[in-house]
Each structure stands twice: as C-alpha cells, then as structure tokens.
C-alpha cells in the first residue's frame, strides 16, 4: 500500500537514522547533535563506541544496543518504544546506519508499523571516496563488502564484470591484497582508486591501475574503500545486464533451455555468448 511521509509534519514519534563521523569528529552536523540530545532513546550498533561519541558532544540520552545478529527482535523492541510515544534515534559505529551496517530490518519494520523513518545527514565513506577518486561519479554502483571466500568473491565479481558503472567496495586492510588479485583476474587491469583513512590525519587517495595498486597495497593500513572503473571498453558492455538477464528468463519461460535462451539472446543483441553465459550463471545458478 502506498505510504506518504511528511518528515516535518509528524504527529507520532519517529525513528531517526543519524549519520555519525567516519573518523574526524568535526564531521557531525548541528542537526544530528540536536536530534541525539532530543530523542528519548539512542539505539547503537556498539554502545561502548557510541558512548565515547556522546560523551564528546555532552549528550546524555539513554543508550541501548541494536546488534545486527538480533536485528529482528531488537527492531520489535524499538517499535514498542515508538508505540509508547518515545522518539528513537539509530546510529552505527560510523557513517550511515544501513550502509554496510545494521538498520535495514528495523527501518522496514518501523515503516510497516506506520511510523516515520527520517534520515539525518552526515559522513559516509563511499561518497567521499567516489567524489575524490578521479573516476566518473555517475553512474555508480555501491556494492559494500564482497564475500571473503575466494569462490564466492570471484562469482560476485563475474556478475559485476559487464557493468559500466563505477564500482565501489568496502574492504578490510588484511584482505585487500587477495581482493585486488581477484579483481585483476576477473575484471582486468582497470583504473581504480584506493581511498583510505578518510577524514582522518592519514587520509590518502592512491589513484592508478589495479596492478599498480596491488604492488603497494600491503603497505596500506587503516580503513579503506576501493573505487573501480566500470566496464566501458566495449559497446556491448554498455547494455543493461538486468534487462538482458530478464530476456533470457523470458525465453526460458517460453520453453527454451537456459543454453538455448542465452545463445538466442546473445545472437539478437550481438553479445558474446560465453560472457553472457558466465554472467547469467554467476547470478542464477
Ligand atoms: N556505515 C559506514 C558508512 O556509511 O560509510 C560504513 C561502515 S562499514 C561497517 C565499515 C567500512 O567502511 C570499512 O571497512 C571501510 O571499508 C569503510 N570505511 C569506514 N570508515 C572509513 C574511513 N574513515 N576511511 C575509509 N574507509 C572507511
């Protein structure tokens, strides 16, 4: 059912999704501080981390835990608080809740329960990395973390290989070498930017090719974002792969085997049959 929310005209309490700094504590807005002071409860991914932030800004609001592993139960608890008339803010350890952080489930449940969900702007690692990467800022695809296991990661990368959008990934420093090796193997030696320690004293942008950055990545410490050029090499790769995959599925629904459907689609669109086979099966097998 359609639902309209006028954020500044709420008669009931709301859930505020408050972005917090990703390093530099000056990167929090006055509005975020006011909201964190005014709400009745702050639900946090890690109460110890958030306590430090609150202490820094002299905020004394009640703090409760909202972990990813019990997100549904915790979400029901937050809905109950809203039903009791309490204003609630959700924060993660850094940046925006929901963005590779807890918050998806609670937002959906709160919306279903008929309460407002209001974003409070602030810092976010992927956008800082993207805008300073030197790569096209539009269109882009934010992927978050790839799966760490080799097979899974390679499969995910195969599914992304044809996309023309600039690709943005979060990664941990101890995994970056393996990840770049797999990217080089699946995506080829594309232009990229490794953005690390954003907003902090050691903030750095390393712009080059995947192979160049692979050579020096072991010396890169701290939190990092990988921004990878999209696939713009061939005309065929500018196509909308979701639409192409749908075409294959449609042919299969009309009785073709997956092999026949892929062959027919590739022929009609002038695409490589083998590439299409790999990208379709990476997503659908
Ligand atoms: N919610 C956050 C956001 O809005 O950006 C992201 C949280 S996610 C659990 C943590 C990952 O974000 C890190 O592993 C890293 O890839 C990226 N990240 C967070 N802070 C960063 C920073 N200051 N510099 C570079 N990357 C950062």
């Amino acid at each position: 059912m359609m639902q309209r929310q006028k954020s500044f005209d709420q008669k009931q309490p709301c859930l505020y999704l408050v972005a917090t700094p990703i390093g530099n504590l000056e990167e929090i807005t006055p509005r975020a501080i006011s909201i964190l002071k005014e709400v009745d409860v702050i639900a946090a991914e890690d109460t110890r981390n958030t306590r430090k932030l609150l202490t820094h800004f002299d905020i004394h609001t009640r703090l409760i835990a909202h972990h990813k592993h019990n997100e549904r139960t915790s979400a029901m608890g937050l809905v109950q608080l809203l039903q009791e008339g309490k204003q609630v803010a959700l924060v993660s350890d850094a940046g925006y809740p929901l963005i590779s952080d807890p918050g998806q489930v609670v937002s959906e449940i709160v919306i279903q329960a008929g309460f407002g969900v209001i974003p409070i702007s602030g810092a976010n690692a992927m956008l800082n990395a993207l805008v300073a990467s030197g790569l096209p800022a539009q269109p882009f695809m934010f992927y978050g973390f790839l799966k760490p296991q080799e097979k899974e990661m390679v499969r995910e990368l195969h599914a992304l290989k044809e996309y023309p959008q600039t690709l943005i990934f979060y990664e941990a420093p101890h995994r970056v070498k393996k990840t770049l090796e797999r990217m080089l193997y699946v995506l080829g030696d594309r232009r990229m930017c490794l953005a690390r320690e954003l907003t902090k004293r050691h903030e750095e942008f390393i712009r080059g090719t995947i192979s160049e950055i692979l050579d020096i990545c072991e010396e890169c410490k701290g939190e990092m974002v990988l921004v990878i050029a999209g696939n713009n090499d061939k005309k065929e790769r500018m196509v909308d792969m979701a639409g192409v995959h749908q075409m294959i599925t449609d042919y299969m629904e009309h009785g073709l085997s997956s092999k026949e459907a892929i062959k027919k689609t590739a022929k009609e669109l002038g695409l490589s049959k083998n590439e299409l086979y790999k990208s379709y099966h990476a997503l659908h097998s």
Side-chain angles (χ1 to χ4, degrees):
M1 196 176 65
M2 188 173 83
Q3 202 188 46
R4 290 174 74 168
Q5 167 187 316
K6 286 199 181 278
S7 295
F8 289 89
D9 193 13
Q10 294 288 308
K11 295 186 178 56
Q12 297 197 91
C14 304
L15 175 70
Y16 292 92
L17 302 175
V18 182
T20 55
I22 57 168
N24 189 329
L25 287 183
E26 287 180 23
E27 295 200 354
I28 187 164
T29 67
R31 185 176 180 214
I33 295 174
S34 304
I35 294 284
L36 292 176
K37 283 187 173 163
E38 285 162 18
V39 292
D40 299 292
V41 178
I42 300 172
E45 180 188 9
D46 181 328
T47 50
R48 274 183 307 177
N49 273 343
T50 301
R51 175 80 59 209
K52 287 183 205 147
L53 182 79
L54 299 189
T55 305
H56 183 86
F57 290 103
D58 199 22
I59 299 169
H60 302 282
T61 309
R62 185 179 151 212
L63 194 54
I64 60 170
H66 177 73
H67 305 295
K68 202 167 192 156
H69 58 265
N70 67 350
E71 204 173 350
R72 189 155 290 276
T73 318
S74 169
M76 298 314 290
L78 297 187
V79 169
Q80 196 176 337
L81 287 170
L82 294 166
Q83 284 164 343
E84 287 166 11
K86 305 253 189 323
Q87 299 279 12
V88 181
L90 178 71
V91 296
S92 64
D93 280 353
Y96 274 72
L98 278 81
I99 302 300
S100 295
D101 266 334
Q104 184 69 49
V105 175
V106 65
S107 298
E108 287 172 13
I109 291 181
V110 166
I111 290 168
Q112 277 163 17
F115 293 96
V117 171
I118 300 179
I120 306 296
S121 322
N124 163 250
M126 66 150 151
L127 285 177
N128 279 28
L130 175 67
V131 294
S133 67
L135 294 166
Q138 283 118 207
F140 74 85
M141 174 191 270
F142 170 64
Y143 199 82
F145 290 97
L146 288 157
K147 300 240 166 37
Q149 305 84 346
E150 177 168 10
K151 217 171 147 198
E152 293 285 306
M153 188 187 287
V154 166
R155 189 176 130 117
E156 286 178 300
L157 289 169
H158 267 297
L160 295 169
K161 190 178 170 189
E162 311 298 331
Y163 283 77
Q165 295 92 337
T166 300
L167 304 170
I168 310 176
F169 301 92
Y170 285 163
E171 193 46 287
H174 65 276
R175 282 201 302 253
V176 68
K177 184 163 185 278
K178 282 246 163 325
T179 300
L180 289 177
E181 281 169 359
R182 292 165 190 164
M183 285 176 169
L184 183 61
Y185 169 69
V186 178
L187 305 177
D189 202 9
R190 298 187 184 184
R191 286 195 300 144
M192 70 163 289
C193 174
L194 186 156
R196 65 179 202 95
E197 294 291 85
L198 291 161
T199 78
K200 303 183 205 173
R201 168 72 187 83
H202 296 292
E203 176 175 285
E204 183 180 21
F205 294 90
I206 310 174
R207 306 179 182 99
T209 60
I210 296 181
S211 61
E212 284 170 338
I213 293 177
L214 188 52
D215 280 346
I216 53 111
C217 68
E218 276 174 307
E219 67 196 56
C220 299
K221 306 279 180 261
E223 297 192 283
M224 57 182 64
V225 181
L226 307 176
V227 186
I228 313 285
N231 189 339
N232 289 307
D233 294 347
K234 293 187 190 164
K235 182 177 127 275
E236 73 188 40
R237 287 174 170 165
M238 295 299 290
V239 294
D240 165 14
M241 289 313 291
V244 175
H245 288 179
Q246 186 57 48
M247 202 165 151
I248 296 170
T249 307
D250 289 346
Y251 279 135
M252 287 165 67
E253 281 170 3
H254 283 85
L256 295 193
S257 69
S258 68
K259 205 172 159 192
E260 291 165 331
I262 290 167
K263 195 173 162 192
K264 189 169 166 63
T265 306
K267 194 168 175 207
E268 279 175 11
L269 299 177
L271 300 175
S272 147
K273 192 177 63 184
N274 290 341
E275 293 290 326
L276 192 53
Y277 190 85
K278 273 190 240 161
S279 87
Y280 187 80
H281 283 288
L283 273 181
H284 297 87
S285 58

